[in-house]
Amino acid sequence: MCYPSNTKIEERAIGALRNLIDEHLTMGAQFNTMDKEMAWDGYIYIYKINNGDQSKKNLDDKVPVQIKGHIDKEEKYLNRKGISVPVDLIDLEIYHNDRGVVYFE
């Protein structure tokens, strides 16, 4: 059986998260593809008022995110309550020194 490339898997994971964010008027996103950032993949923007205004005057905060996509061939992650993923110590230090990160697996 053929599986998509790592690039295609990453694009699909980003697309799935973007689709969820697009459902909410108080959220926007800016994600990088092809690992252009050192330790994170972009930001989710949170807006104050649910009025469709996604401008600077309505911006509440931006949340740094890291997005990891995988093909779960054996379905070992399906319906699990938790997943543990190894993360390089240097990445954890970068997240700590910045403001943290929300990890999507």
Side-chain angles (χ1 to χ4, degrees):
M1 177 182 254
C2 294
Y3 292 100
S5 68
N6 288 342
T7 301
K8 182 64 77 176
I9 292 169
E10 177 187 5
E11 289 172 359
R12 288 180 181 178
I14 289 170
L17 183 56
R18 187 180 308 278
N19 287 341
L20 289 171
I21 291 166
D22 286 346
E23 295 293 320
H24 300 278
L25 295 177
T26 58
M27 297 171 75
Q30 184 275 311
F31 299 137
N32 301 307
T33 58
M34 314 262 303
D35 290 323
K36 300 291 185 205
E37 291 281 337
M38 280 197 194
W40 42 86
D41 290 320
Y43 297 93
I44 296 174
Y45 293 91
I46 309 297
Y47 298 95
K48 298 173 192 169
I49 303 170
N50 185 3
N51 64 0
D53 178 17
Q54 292 186 341
S55 67
K56 289 187 267 186
K57 67 182 178 188
N58 195 26
L59 182 65
D60 190 28
D61 202 357
K62 68 178 185 175
V63 179
V65 298
Q66 176 65 288
I67 306 163
K68 298 289 185 186
H70 300 280
I71 298 291
D72 187 16
K73 299 172 192 172
E74 292 85 32
E75 296 184 0
K76 64 181 184 177
Y77 297 114
L78 193 62
N79 297 322
R80 300 232 0 226
K81 291 186 185 226
I83 298 172
S84 62
V85 179
V87 179
D88 290 337
L89 185 58
I90 189 69
D91 287 325
L92 294 176
E93 289 173 358
I94 290 170
Y95 301 147
H96 171 76
N97 291 334
D98 187 37
R99 60 181 296 199
V101 69
V102 176
Y103 230 86
F104 290 94
E105 182 71 27

